[in-house]
Amino acid sequence: MAGFTHVEGLSSADVQRLRATYEPLAQSVRELVDATIRSEVDADDVAAAKAHIEAATELLRARQIDGPFGVRITSDGDRMPWGNPAIGIRNAIAPPLRMVRDDDGVMSTDFHLGAAYEGPPGHVHGGIVAMVLDHVLGEVAANDPLTPRFTGTLTIRYLRATPLGDLRAEGWITRTDGIKTFAVGHVRDAAGITAEAEGVFIPPKWARG
Amino acid sequence: MAGFTHVEGLSSADVQRLRATYEPLAQSVRELVDATIRSEVDADDVAAAKAHIEAATELLRARQIDGPFGVRITSDGDRMPWGNPAIGIRNAIAPPLRMVRDDDGVMSTDFHLGAAYEGPPGHVHGGIVAMVLDHVLGEVAANDPLTPRFTGTLTIRYLRATPLGDLRAEGWITRTDGIKTFAVGHVRDAAGITAEAEGVFIPPKWARG
C-alpha cells in the first residue's frame, strides 16, 4: 500500500494559498449537493443547472491529478488530508469535521448535518453516524498526526435516532496494548448522547518504521 | 419522530419522469465532487468554475422543499428514498448503492468508489466501509421495504484496507428474536473479503403499527 505523498517545494504559505483557493470551491459544491436534493424546479431549469455544472467540471478537469488526492505531507510538515470524506476541506462529501484535541487528550468536533446526511426522515443515516465515530476515534488513536492508525474493529450502539442539525462528537483513548490503541466516544445532540462507539486501532505496516 | 411522507397524486409514471429529471443532475454533481478534489487549475479557473456552481445552485433553489427530502411513499406504493446518502439517486454523496435481493434472501450491491471516498492513500475511509455495511445489513433486515429497521448495534472487523475501485457488499439475516433482527455481511474486492460486519436491527416505534 502506498503511504503518504511527500510534497517538496510547498511552503506553509503555499498551502494557505491553495486552501484559500479550493476551500470556498468545495463549500459551494456542498451547497449544490443540498440544492440538488431539495429542488422542485422543472425539467428545463434542471437542464440549465446541469449545463452550468458540466461547464464547472470541464474547467476543473482541464488540469487534474491522475487518481485520488491521497494524504500529502509538505517539507514544512503541513499535513493535507484534503480529500478525506470526513474532514477533507476539498471534499464536498465531508461536512467537513474540524477536529480539536483538548489538554486532557479528548478529541472533539462540533458539526452540522443537513439534508445530504438523512437516513430515517429528519434523522442522520446510521452509517454517517458510524463514519463520524470511526473518524473521531481513529484520529484520537493517532496521537502523532504523522502516524496513522487504521481501524481494526469498531462497535457502535445506537441509543436513539440522531436528529439532523447541530451535533457534537467526542473520543478519547482508554488504553494501549502493544501496537493496539483502544478508544471510545459518542455522538450527542443538545439533549444528550445518541450513539456510543468503541474501537481498536493499529498502525499500518508501512507506518511502523 | 416523523415517519414516511405519504405523497398523494403521484403516479408511477410521474415518479419515473421525476427520476429521469433528477438522477442525471445528481450524477453530474458526483462528477463535480470528484473534479473539485482532483483539480490542479489556477485560482482564476477555480473562480470561474465556482461562478458556474453558484449559478446552478441559484437555479435549483428558485423552488425547493423546506427541509430534507425524507422518505416518500406514493399512493401507488412507490418508495422514494432519493435523498439517502447510501442509495439516494438525488444525493451526490451516495455512490449510489443499487441493492439486489436474490432468491435466498441475500442482499448485495456492486459499486465503485473513487477519490471522494478515500481515507488512507488509495484506500476507502473506514467510516465509508461502515456506512456501506450499515446500509446493506439494515436493508436486508427490513424484509418488507415499507417497514424500516433502525440499527441497534453494529460491529465491524476490518481484515485489511479496502482499495478504491470496484467493490461488492453482501448481507443476510441470521436470526430473529422478537422485534430484533440479526444480520451479517461483508465488503469484498476481487481478492476477497476486506471487512465483516454483524448488526442488530429493530423497527422504530412509529413503524410498529
Side-chain angles (χ1 to χ4, degrees):
Chain A
M1 177 186 308
F4 295 141
T5 303
H6 290 271
V7 185
E8 302 301 324
L10 266 193
S11 67
S12 290
D14 292 331
V15 171
Q16 283 309 310
R17 184 179 47 76
L18 287 169
R19 183 176 185 126
T21 299
Y22 283 104
E23 190 170 25
L25 173 69
Q27 189 54 39
S28 70
V29 180
R30 287 185 190 101
E31 287 290 320
L32 176 64
V33 169
D34 180 89
T36 297
I37 294 168
R38 297 169 57 205
S39 183
E40 293 191 293
V41 301
D42 65 22
D44 285 349
D45 284 337
V46 167
K50 188 163 176 284
H52 274 298
I53 295 163
E54 288 167 357
T57 301
E58 188 177 346
L59 279 164
L60 294 171
R61 288 216 192 280
R63 203 170 78 237
Q64 65 177 11
I65 56 175
D66 179 26
F69 191 85
V71 178
R72 303 181 186 196
I73 309 285
T74 70
S75 39
D76 280 5
D78 292 291
R79 186 168 169 262
M80 301 164 67
W82 291 4
N84 189 285
I87 61 171
I89 58 166
R90 279 186 70 154
N91 188 340
I93 287 183
L97 305 180
R98 297 170 204 278
M99 313 298 298
V100 179
R101 190 191 294 265
D102 73 14
D103 292 343
D104 295 328
V106 174
M107 187 73 80
S108 66
T109 176
D110 291 290
F111 55 103
H112 181 93
L113 298 183
Y117 303 96
E118 182 185 43
H123 292 75
V124 182
H125 190 291
I128 295 292
V129 171
M131 183 181 78
V132 168
L133 285 166
D134 174 67
H135 195 89
V136 171
L137 269 56
E139 192 115 15
V140 78
N143 247 319
D144 170 1
L146 297 184
T147 305
R149 293 289 186 291
F150 283 15
T151 318
T153 65
L154 180 71
T155 298
I156 299 165
R157 282 177 299 280
Y158 296 82
L159 308 181
R160 60 182 166 91
T162 302
L164 293 175
D166 291 326
L167 298 165
R168 179 177 174 84
E170 299 176 352
W172 58 94
I173 295 172
T174 52
R175 67 187 177 94
T176 58
D177 180 4
I179 61 168
K180 292 184 182 176
T181 302
F182 296 78
V184 299
H186 55 248
V187 168
R188 61 189 310 151
D189 66 3
I193 295 174
T194 63
E196 300 173 328
E198 54 185 83
V200 181
F201 298 83
I202 51 174
K205 284 190 185 119
W206 58 262
R208 285 179 206 169
Chain B
M1 176 186 309
F4 295 142
T5 303
H6 290 271
V7 185
E8 301 301 323
L10 265 193
S11 68
S12 290
D14 291 330
V15 172
Q16 284 309 309
R17 182 179 49 76
L18 287 169
R19 184 176 183 125
T21 298
Y22 282 104
E23 190 170 24
L25 173 69
Q27 189 54 40
S28 71
V29 180
R30 287 185 189 100
E31 287 290 321
L32 176 62
V33 169
D34 180 89
T36 297
I37 295 167
R38 298 169 57 204
S39 183
E40 293 191 292
V41 301
D42 63 24
D44 287 348
D45 284 337
V46 167
K50 189 163 175 284
H52 275 297
I53 295 164
E54 287 167 359
T57 301
E58 189 178 345
L59 280 164
L60 295 172
R61 289 216 193 279
R63 202 171 78 238
Q64 66 177 10
I65 56 175
D66 179 24
F69 191 85
V71 179
R72 303 181 185 197
I73 309 285
T74 70
S75 40
D76 280 5
D78 291 292
R79 185 168 170 262
M80 301 164 66
W82 292 4
N84 188 285
I87 61 171
I89 58 166
R90 278 186 70 154
N91 188 339
I93 286 183
L97 304 181
R98 297 170 204 278
M99 312 298 298
V100 179
R101 190 191 293 265
D102 75 13
D103 293 343
D104 295 328
V106 174
M107 188 73 82
S108 66
T109 178
D110 292 291
F111 56 103
H112 181 93
L113 297 183
Y117 304 96
E118 182 184 42
H123 292 75
V124 183
H125 190 291
I128 295 292
V129 171
M131 184 183 78
V132 168
L133 285 166
D134 174 69
H135 196 90
V136 172
L137 269 57
E139 192 116 15
V140 78
N143 247 318
D144 169 1
L146 297 185
T147 304
R149 293 290 186 291
F150 283 14
T151 318
T153 63
L154 181 70
T155 297
I156 299 166
R157 283 177 298 279
Y158 297 82
L159 308 181
R160 61 183 165 91
T162 302
L164 292 175
D166 291 326
L167 298 165
R168 179 178 174 84
E170 299 177 353
W172 58 94
I173 295 172
T174 51
R175 67 189 176 93
T176 58
D177 180 3
I179 61 168
K180 292 184 182 176
T181 302
F182 295 78
V184 299
H186 56 246
V187 168
R188 60 190 311 152
D189 66 2
I193 294 174
T194 63
E196 298 174 329
E198 56 185 80
V200 182
F201 297 84
I202 52 175
K205 284 187 184 123
W206 58 263
R208 286 179 205 168

